[in-house]
Amino acid sequence: MPEAKERAPYNRTITLTPEETDSLLTGVIKPENLDGKALPENKTILGDVFTVLPLLPGSFADLLILDPPYNIRKKFNTSSFSEQEEDVYAEWIESWIVLLKRLLKKDASVYFCCDWKTSVPVYNVLKKHFKVRNRITWEREKGRGSKDNYKNCTEDIWYCTNSNNFLFNVDAVKLRRQVLAPYKTEHGQPKDWEHTEDGKFRDTYPSNFWSDISIPFWSMPENTDHPTQKPEKLIAKLILASSEEGAMVFDPFLGSGTTSVTAKKLRRRYLGIELDPTYAALAEKRLSLADENPAIQGYADGVFWERNSLKFQREILSGNHNKSLFD
């Protein structure tokens, strides 16, 4: 467990004490408790994918969300991942993709998170096993600058299906945007937009470029110290687009638990695998906090809102740091 950091007064990052970690880990599943027949639901499994995947029953997952280590040097608490040759990285992906295939239902969907550098080898593996349908690129406002290159501020998500029989709920993932130049009909009525107390808005069809995502930061209640944590809003889009309530969402590289937490908030069943005990404990803590606060930043009234377009969000950004995004 890393040493405790000095936190700012309004820092809302989720942290763990050693005592909390020990207590929360009593609720996770160990590989020795798996028999290959009974499926643990709404649980976190502590273990390595190569050990755990063969111990799970087949054809249980409606939706698979993959966020493995990218092919860059990165430290994950007590372990680290080193950059590899592209073909070696592709072989590593293939080695566990073949284990995952039997766990998917015939009509399952798959989303694979990666960066620009790993996007090509990831695609080359995925096209051998799934129907690749699109590549989503989402804007992440964080990123280091470079004196001799362009700043890297986007990531990719490959959208695949296990067959040609699949679910896509387009109405569940429309984006509510502010209307800057509202058109009216010849009778003076709004044309394809709605006038609300928060302003004028239009619900638009989702594209494969997402610019409305905020990376978790210190004042957001979903933030943790995990180095590659995905936003709940990002994962919520994947879950709502490609599953119904009660469906099973599976994430074998769970990290600090975003997929399981978001699935729980959206009334799906979930199962995650995590190698690191601290991150597994963080996932368990976040799952317990979801009972108290089921909201997802940027998703309200059954719709995704363009970033900072909600009235109360604009008030927060103007300086009221004491107010929660969910109040």
Short mmCIF file of all heavy atoms in Angstrom, two decimals, residues 237-289:
data_model
loop_
_atom_site.label_atom_id
_atom_site.label_comp_id
_atom_site.label_asym_id
_atom_site.label_seq_id
_atom_site.Cartn_x
_atom_site.Cartn_y
_atom_site.Cartn_z
N LYS A 237 -21.77 4.88 -21.26
CA LYS A 237 -22.20 4.90 -22.66
C LYS A 237 -22.12 3.49 -23.27
O LYS A 237 -23.02 3.06 -23.99
CB LYS A 237 -21.35 5.87 -23.46
CG LYS A 237 -21.57 7.33 -23.10
CD LYS A 237 -20.93 8.25 -24.12
CE LYS A 237 -21.22 9.70 -23.80
NZ LYS A 237 -21.00 10.59 -24.96
N LEU A 238 -21.05 2.78 -22.97
CA LEU A 238 -20.88 1.44 -23.51
C LEU A 238 -21.94 0.49 -22.96
O LEU A 238 -22.52 -0.31 -23.70
CB LEU A 238 -19.48 0.91 -23.16
CG LEU A 238 -18.29 1.84 -23.43
CD1 LEU A 238 -16.99 1.14 -23.07
CD2 LEU A 238 -18.28 2.32 -24.87
N ILE A 239 -22.19 0.60 -21.66
CA ILE A 239 -23.15 -0.30 -21.02
C ILE A 239 -24.57 -0.04 -21.51
O ILE A 239 -25.32 -0.98 -21.84
CB ILE A 239 -23.06 -0.15 -19.48
CG1 ILE A 239 -21.73 -0.70 -18.98
CG2 ILE A 239 -24.24 -0.86 -18.80
CD1 ILE A 239 -21.48 -0.47 -17.50
N LEU A 240 -24.97 1.23 -21.61
CA LEU A 240 -26.32 1.55 -22.03
C LEU A 240 -26.54 1.23 -23.50
O LEU A 240 -27.63 0.80 -23.90
CB LEU A 240 -26.61 3.03 -21.76
CG LEU A 240 -26.83 3.39 -20.30
CD1 LEU A 240 -26.79 4.89 -20.10
CD2 LEU A 240 -28.15 2.83 -19.79
N ALA A 241 -25.52 1.41 -24.33
CA ALA A 241 -25.66 1.13 -25.75
C ALA A 241 -25.81 -0.36 -26.03
O ALA A 241 -26.57 -0.75 -26.93
CB ALA A 241 -24.46 1.68 -26.52
N SER A 242 -25.11 -1.19 -25.26
CA SER A 242 -24.98 -2.60 -25.65
C SER A 242 -25.47 -3.60 -24.61
O SER A 242 -25.04 -4.75 -24.61
CB SER A 242 -23.52 -2.88 -26.01
OG SER A 242 -23.14 -2.13 -27.14
N SER A 243 -26.35 -3.18 -23.73
CA SER A 243 -26.94 -4.14 -22.78
C SER A 243 -28.26 -3.61 -22.26
O SER A 243 -28.53 -2.41 -22.31
CB SER A 243 -25.99 -4.42 -21.60
OG SER A 243 -25.90 -3.29 -20.74
N GLU A 244 -29.07 -4.52 -21.75
CA GLU A 244 -30.33 -4.15 -21.09
C GLU A 244 -30.16 -4.31 -19.59
O GLU A 244 -29.19 -4.92 -19.11
CB GLU A 244 -31.46 -5.06 -21.58
CG GLU A 244 -31.71 -5.01 -23.07
CD GLU A 244 -32.46 -3.77 -23.52
OE1 GLU A 244 -32.63 -2.84 -22.70
OE2 GLU A 244 -32.88 -3.73 -24.69
N GLU A 245 -31.10 -3.76 -18.83
CA GLU A 245 -31.08 -3.95 -17.38
C GLU A 245 -31.08 -5.45 -17.07
O GLU A 245 -31.80 -6.23 -17.70
CB GLU A 245 -32.28 -3.27 -16.72
CG GLU A 245 -32.17 -1.75 -16.68
CD GLU A 245 -33.23 -1.11 -15.82
OE1 GLU A 245 -33.83 -1.83 -14.98
OE2 GLU A 245 -33.47 0.11 -15.96
N GLY A 246 -30.28 -5.84 -16.09
CA GLY A 246 -30.20 -7.24 -15.69
C GLY A 246 -29.17 -8.03 -16.46
O GLY A 246 -28.87 -9.18 -16.11
N ALA A 247 -28.58 -7.45 -17.51
CA ALA A 247 -27.57 -8.15 -18.30
C ALA A 247 -26.28 -8.29 -17.50
O ALA A 247 -26.04 -7.55 -16.53
CB ALA A 247 -27.29 -7.40 -19.60
N MET A 248 -25.42 -9.24 -17.90
CA MET A 248 -24.16 -9.47 -17.22
C MET A 248 -23.03 -8.73 -17.95
O MET A 248 -22.76 -8.97 -19.12
CB MET A 248 -23.84 -10.97 -17.17
CG MET A 248 -22.44 -11.31 -16.66
SD MET A 248 -22.08 -10.68 -14.99
CE MET A 248 -22.96 -11.88 -13.98
N VAL A 249 -22.37 -7.83 -17.22
CA VAL A 249 -21.24 -7.06 -17.73
C VAL A 249 -19.97 -7.60 -17.11
O VAL A 249 -19.85 -7.69 -15.89
CB VAL A 249 -21.41 -5.56 -17.40
CG1 VAL A 249 -20.25 -4.75 -17.97
CG2 VAL A 249 -22.74 -5.03 -17.94
N PHE A 250 -19.00 -7.93 -17.95
CA PHE A 250 -17.77 -8.59 -17.49
C PHE A 250 -16.54 -7.76 -17.85
O PHE A 250 -16.41 -7.29 -18.98
CB PHE A 250 -17.68 -9.97 -18.13
CG PHE A 250 -16.47 -10.77 -17.73
CD1 PHE A 250 -16.03 -10.82 -16.41
CD2 PHE A 250 -15.76 -11.50 -18.69
CE1 PHE A 250 -14.91 -11.56 -16.05
CE2 PHE A 250 -14.65 -12.25 -18.34
CZ PHE A 250 -14.23 -12.28 -17.02
N ASP A 251 -15.66 -7.56 -16.87
CA ASP A 251 -14.41 -6.81 -17.07
C ASP A 251 -13.27 -7.59 -16.43
O ASP A 251 -13.15 -7.62 -15.21
CB ASP A 251 -14.53 -5.42 -16.46
CG ASP A 251 -13.31 -4.54 -16.75
OD1 ASP A 251 -12.24 -5.09 -17.09
OD2 ASP A 251 -13.43 -3.31 -16.63
N PRO A 252 -12.41 -8.22 -17.23
CA PRO A 252 -11.33 -9.02 -16.66
C PRO A 252 -10.08 -8.23 -16.28
O PRO A 252 -9.12 -8.80 -15.77
CB PRO A 252 -11.01 -10.02 -17.79
CG PRO A 252 -11.38 -9.29 -19.02
CD PRO A 252 -12.54 -8.39 -18.68
N PHE A 253 -10.09 -6.92 -16.53
CA PHE A 253 -9.00 -6.03 -16.10
C PHE A 253 -9.65 -4.87 -15.34
O PHE A 253 -9.64 -3.72 -15.78
CB PHE A 253 -8.19 -5.52 -17.29
CG PHE A 253 -7.51 -6.61 -18.08
CD1 PHE A 253 -8.14 -7.18 -19.18
CD2 PHE A 253 -6.26 -7.07 -17.71
CE1 PHE A 253 -7.51 -8.18 -19.91
CE2 PHE A 253 -5.62 -8.08 -18.43
CZ PHE A 253 -6.26 -8.64 -19.53
N LEU A 254 -10.19 -5.17 -14.18
CA LEU A 254 -11.13 -4.27 -13.50
C LEU A 254 -10.50 -3.00 -12.97
O LEU A 254 -11.16 -1.97 -12.90
CB LEU A 254 -11.81 -5.03 -12.36
CG LEU A 254 -12.95 -4.31 -11.65
CD1 LEU A 254 -14.08 -3.98 -12.61
CD2 LEU A 254 -13.47 -5.15 -10.49
N GLY A 255 -9.23 -3.03 -12.57
CA GLY A 255 -8.61 -1.83 -12.00
C GLY A 255 -9.32 -1.41 -10.73
O GLY A 255 -9.60 -2.24 -9.85
N SER A 256 -9.65 -0.13 -10.62
CA SER A 256 -10.30 0.37 -9.41
C SER A 256 -11.81 0.20 -9.42
O SER A 256 -12.50 0.72 -8.55
CB SER A 256 -9.95 1.85 -9.19
OG SER A 256 -10.47 2.64 -10.26
N GLY A 257 -12.34 -0.51 -10.43
CA GLY A 257 -13.74 -0.92 -10.37
C GLY A 257 -14.75 -0.14 -11.18
O GLY A 257 -15.96 -0.35 -11.01
N THR A 258 -14.31 0.73 -12.07
CA THR A 258 -15.27 1.59 -12.77
C THR A 258 -16.36 0.81 -13.51
O THR A 258 -17.53 1.17 -13.44
CB THR A 258 -14.54 2.51 -13.76
OG1 THR A 258 -13.62 3.34 -13.04
CG2 THR A 258 -15.51 3.41 -14.50
N THR A 259 -15.99 -0.26 -14.20
CA THR A 259 -17.00 -1.01 -14.95
C THR A 259 -18.05 -1.61 -14.02
O THR A 259 -19.26 -1.49 -14.25
CB THR A 259 -16.34 -2.13 -15.78
OG1 THR A 259 -15.48 -1.54 -16.76
CG2 THR A 259 -17.38 -2.99 -16.48
N SER A 260 -17.61 -2.26 -12.94
CA SER A 260 -18.56 -2.87 -12.01
C SER A 260 -19.43 -1.82 -11.34
O SER A 260 -20.65 -2.00 -11.20
CB SER A 260 -17.81 -3.69 -10.96
OG SER A 260 -17.23 -4.84 -11.52
N VAL A 261 -18.83 -0.72 -10.93
CA VAL A 261 -19.57 0.35 -10.25
C VAL A 261 -20.63 0.93 -11.18
O VAL A 261 -21.79 1.13 -10.79
CB VAL A 261 -18.61 1.45 -9.76
CG1 VAL A 261 -19.37 2.67 -9.29
CG2 VAL A 261 -17.71 0.92 -8.65
N THR A 262 -20.24 1.21 -12.42
CA THR A 262 -21.19 1.80 -13.37
C THR A 262 -22.29 0.81 -13.72
O THR A 262 -23.46 1.19 -13.84
CB THR A 262 -20.45 2.24 -14.64
OG1 THR A 262 -19.32 3.06 -14.28
CG2 THR A 262 -21.36 3.05 -15.55
N ALA A 263 -21.94 -0.46 -13.88
CA ALA A 263 -22.95 -1.48 -14.14
C ALA A 263 -23.96 -1.55 -12.98
O ALA A 263 -25.17 -1.65 -13.21
CB ALA A 263 -22.29 -2.84 -14.34
N LYS A 264 -23.46 -1.48 -11.77
CA LYS A 264 -24.35 -1.52 -10.61
C LYS A 264 -25.30 -0.32 -10.61
O LYS A 264 -26.50 -0.46 -10.36
CB LYS A 264 -23.53 -1.54 -9.32
CG LYS A 264 -24.37 -1.61 -8.05
CD LYS A 264 -23.50 -1.70 -6.80
CE LYS A 264 -24.35 -1.84 -5.55
NZ LYS A 264 -23.53 -1.99 -4.32
N LYS A 265 -24.75 0.86 -10.89
CA LYS A 265 -25.59 2.07 -10.91
C LYS A 265 -26.65 2.01 -12.00
O LYS A 265 -27.72 2.61 -11.86
CB LYS A 265 -24.70 3.30 -11.11
CG LYS A 265 -23.82 3.63 -9.90
CD LYS A 265 -22.99 4.89 -10.15
CE LYS A 265 -22.19 5.27 -8.92
NZ LYS A 265 -21.45 6.54 -9.11
N LEU A 266 -26.36 1.29 -13.07
CA LEU A 266 -27.29 1.18 -14.19
C LEU A 266 -28.12 -0.10 -14.13
O LEU A 266 -28.72 -0.50 -15.13
CB LEU A 266 -26.53 1.27 -15.51
CG LEU A 266 -25.84 2.62 -15.77
CD1 LEU A 266 -24.99 2.56 -17.03
CD2 LEU A 266 -26.86 3.74 -15.86
N ARG A 267 -28.10 -0.78 -12.98
CA ARG A 267 -28.94 -1.95 -12.71
C ARG A 267 -28.61 -3.13 -13.63
O ARG A 267 -29.50 -3.83 -14.10
CB ARG A 267 -30.42 -1.57 -12.78
CG ARG A 267 -30.84 -0.61 -11.69
CD ARG A 267 -32.30 -0.23 -11.78
NE ARG A 267 -32.57 0.62 -12.93
CZ ARG A 267 -32.37 1.93 -12.96
NH1 ARG A 267 -31.89 2.55 -11.90
NH2 ARG A 267 -32.65 2.64 -14.05
N ARG A 268 -27.32 -3.32 -13.87
CA ARG A 268 -26.85 -4.53 -14.54
C ARG A 268 -26.15 -5.41 -13.53
O ARG A 268 -25.73 -4.95 -12.47
CB ARG A 268 -25.85 -4.18 -15.65
CG ARG A 268 -26.45 -3.89 -17.02
CD ARG A 268 -27.18 -2.60 -17.08
NE ARG A 268 -27.56 -2.27 -18.46
CZ ARG A 268 -28.39 -1.29 -18.78
NH1 ARG A 268 -28.95 -0.55 -17.83
NH2 ARG A 268 -28.68 -1.05 -20.05
N ARG A 269 -26.03 -6.69 -13.85
CA ARG A 269 -25.18 -7.58 -13.07
C ARG A 269 -23.73 -7.38 -13.53
O ARG A 269 -23.50 -6.91 -14.65
CB ARG A 269 -25.61 -9.03 -13.25
CG ARG A 269 -27.01 -9.34 -12.72
CD ARG A 269 -27.42 -10.77 -13.07
NE ARG A 269 -27.53 -10.95 -14.50
CZ ARG A 269 -27.20 -12.05 -15.17
NH1 ARG A 269 -26.70 -13.10 -14.51
NH2 ARG A 269 -27.35 -12.14 -16.47
N TYR A 270 -22.79 -7.74 -12.70
CA TYR A 270 -21.41 -7.47 -13.06
C TYR A 270 -20.47 -8.52 -12.47
O TYR A 270 -20.78 -9.19 -11.48
CB TYR A 270 -20.99 -6.07 -12.59
CG TYR A 270 -21.19 -5.84 -11.11
CD1 TYR A 270 -20.22 -6.21 -10.17
CD2 TYR A 270 -22.37 -5.28 -10.63
CE1 TYR A 270 -20.42 -6.01 -8.81
CE2 TYR A 270 -22.58 -5.08 -9.28
CZ TYR A 270 -21.60 -5.44 -8.37
OH TYR A 270 -21.80 -5.25 -7.03
N LEU A 271 -19.31 -8.64 -13.11
CA LEU A 271 -18.24 -9.50 -12.62
C LEU A 271 -16.93 -8.91 -13.10
O LEU A 271 -16.81 -8.54 -14.28
CB LEU A 271 -18.40 -10.92 -13.14
CG LEU A 271 -17.35 -11.94 -12.66
CD1 LEU A 271 -17.44 -12.15 -11.14
CD2 LEU A 271 -17.52 -13.27 -13.39
N GLY A 272 -15.95 -8.80 -12.21
CA GLY A 272 -14.66 -8.25 -12.58
C GLY A 272 -13.52 -9.06 -12.02
O GLY A 272 -13.66 -9.71 -10.97
N ILE A 273 -12.39 -9.03 -12.72
CA ILE A 273 -11.17 -9.69 -12.25
C ILE A 273 -10.11 -8.62 -12.06
O ILE A 273 -9.92 -7.77 -12.94
CB ILE A 273 -10.66 -10.74 -13.27
CG1 ILE A 273 -11.72 -11.79 -13.55
CG2 ILE A 273 -9.38 -11.40 -12.76
CD1 ILE A 273 -11.33 -12.73 -14.69
N GLU A 274 -9.42 -8.65 -10.93
CA GLU A 274 -8.34 -7.70 -10.68
C GLU A 274 -7.18 -8.40 -10.01
O GLU A 274 -7.36 -9.17 -9.07
CB GLU A 274 -8.83 -6.53 -9.83
CG GLU A 274 -7.76 -5.54 -9.40
CD GLU A 274 -6.90 -5.05 -10.56
OE1 GLU A 274 -7.45 -4.80 -11.66
OE2 GLU A 274 -5.67 -4.93 -10.38
N LEU A 275 -5.97 -8.11 -10.50
CA LEU A 275 -4.77 -8.76 -10.02
C LEU A 275 -4.25 -8.16 -8.73
O LEU A 275 -3.73 -8.86 -7.86
CB LEU A 275 -3.68 -8.68 -11.11
CG LEU A 275 -2.31 -9.25 -10.79
CD1 LEU A 275 -2.40 -10.76 -10.55
CD2 LEU A 275 -1.34 -8.95 -11.93
N ASP A 276 -4.39 -6.83 -8.58
CA ASP A 276 -3.80 -6.12 -7.44
C ASP A 276 -4.77 -6.04 -6.26
O ASP A 276 -5.90 -5.56 -6.43
CB ASP A 276 -3.39 -4.71 -7.85
CG ASP A 276 -2.65 -3.97 -6.76
OD1 ASP A 276 -1.42 -4.09 -6.69
OD2 ASP A 276 -3.31 -3.29 -5.95
N PRO A 277 -4.39 -6.48 -5.07
CA PRO A 277 -5.31 -6.46 -3.92
C PRO A 277 -5.80 -5.06 -3.55
O PRO A 277 -6.97 -4.89 -3.19
CB PRO A 277 -4.47 -7.07 -2.79
CG PRO A 277 -3.42 -7.87 -3.47
CD PRO A 277 -3.11 -7.15 -4.74
N THR A 278 -4.92 -4.05 -3.65
CA THR A 278 -5.34 -2.70 -3.29
C THR A 278 -6.43 -2.20 -4.23
O THR A 278 -7.43 -1.61 -3.80
CB THR A 278 -4.15 -1.73 -3.32
OG1 THR A 278 -3.18 -2.15 -2.35
CG2 THR A 278 -4.58 -0.31 -2.99
N TYR A 279 -6.25 -2.41 -5.53
CA TYR A 279 -7.26 -1.98 -6.48
C TYR A 279 -8.55 -2.77 -6.33
O TYR A 279 -9.65 -2.23 -6.48
CB TYR A 279 -6.73 -2.09 -7.91
CG TYR A 279 -5.55 -1.18 -8.20
CD1 TYR A 279 -4.56 -1.56 -9.09
CD2 TYR A 279 -5.44 0.06 -7.58
CE1 TYR A 279 -3.48 -0.73 -9.36
CE2 TYR A 279 -4.36 0.89 -7.84
CZ TYR A 279 -3.39 0.49 -8.73
OH TYR A 279 -2.32 1.32 -9.00
N ALA A 280 -8.43 -4.06 -6.02
CA ALA A 280 -9.63 -4.88 -5.78
C ALA A 280 -10.40 -4.33 -4.57
O ALA A 280 -11.64 -4.27 -4.59
CB ALA A 280 -9.24 -6.34 -5.55
N ALA A 281 -9.68 -3.93 -3.54
CA ALA A 281 -10.33 -3.35 -2.36
C ALA A 281 -10.97 -2.01 -2.70
O ALA A 281 -12.06 -1.68 -2.21
CB ALA A 281 -9.31 -3.19 -1.23
N LEU A 282 -10.28 -1.21 -3.54
CA LEU A 282 -10.86 0.07 -3.98
C LEU A 282 -12.17 -0.17 -4.73
O LEU A 282 -13.15 0.56 -4.54
CB LEU A 282 -9.88 0.80 -4.89
CG LEU A 282 -9.00 1.89 -4.30
CD1 LEU A 282 -8.07 2.45 -5.36
CD2 LEU A 282 -9.83 2.99 -3.66
N ALA A 283 -12.18 -1.18 -5.58
CA ALA A 283 -13.40 -1.51 -6.31
C ALA A 283 -14.53 -1.86 -5.35
O ALA A 283 -15.67 -1.41 -5.52
CB ALA A 283 -13.14 -2.68 -7.27
N GLU A 284 -14.21 -2.64 -4.33
CA GLU A 284 -15.23 -3.01 -3.34
C GLU A 284 -15.75 -1.79 -2.58
O GLU A 284 -16.95 -1.66 -2.31
CB GLU A 284 -14.65 -4.04 -2.36
CG GLU A 284 -14.38 -5.40 -2.98
CD GLU A 284 -15.65 -6.06 -3.48
OE1 GLU A 284 -16.50 -6.42 -2.65
OE2 GLU A 284 -15.81 -6.19 -4.71
N LYS A 285 -14.86 -0.88 -2.25
CA LYS A 285 -15.30 0.33 -1.54
C LYS A 285 -16.19 1.19 -2.43
O LYS A 285 -17.22 1.70 -2.00
CB LYS A 285 -14.09 1.15 -1.07
CG LYS A 285 -14.49 2.39 -0.27
CD LYS A 285 -13.31 3.05 0.41
CE LYS A 285 -13.75 4.25 1.23
NZ LYS A 285 -12.64 4.85 2.01
N ARG A 286 -15.80 1.34 -3.69
CA ARG A 286 -16.61 2.12 -4.61
C ARG A 286 -17.98 1.47 -4.83
O ARG A 286 -18.99 2.18 -4.97
CB ARG A 286 -15.89 2.28 -5.95
CG ARG A 286 -14.66 3.16 -5.89
CD ARG A 286 -13.97 3.24 -7.25
NE ARG A 286 -14.81 3.92 -8.22
CZ ARG A 286 -14.57 3.94 -9.53
NH1 ARG A 286 -13.54 3.27 -10.02
NH2 ARG A 286 -15.37 4.60 -10.35
N LEU A 287 -18.04 0.15 -4.85
CA LEU A 287 -19.32 -0.53 -5.00
C LEU A 287 -20.22 -0.26 -3.80
O LEU A 287 -21.44 -0.09 -3.96
CB LEU A 287 -19.09 -2.03 -5.17
CG LEU A 287 -18.59 -2.46 -6.55
CD1 LEU A 287 -18.04 -3.88 -6.51
CD2 LEU A 287 -19.70 -2.35 -7.59
N SER A 288 -19.65 -0.21 -2.61
CA SER A 288 -20.45 0.09 -1.42
C SER A 288 -20.92 1.54 -1.44
O SER A 288 -22.04 1.85 -1.03
CB SER A 288 -19.67 -0.21 -0.15
OG SER A 288 -18.56 0.65 -0.01
N LEU A 289 -20.07 2.45 -1.92
CA LEU A 289 -20.44 3.87 -2.01
C LEU A 289 -21.54 4.10 -3.03
O LEU A 289 -22.32 5.05 -2.93
CB LEU A 289 -19.22 4.72 -2.35
CG LEU A 289 -18.13 4.81 -1.28
CD1 LEU A 289 -16.90 5.53 -1.82
CD2 LEU A 289 -18.66 5.52 -0.04
#
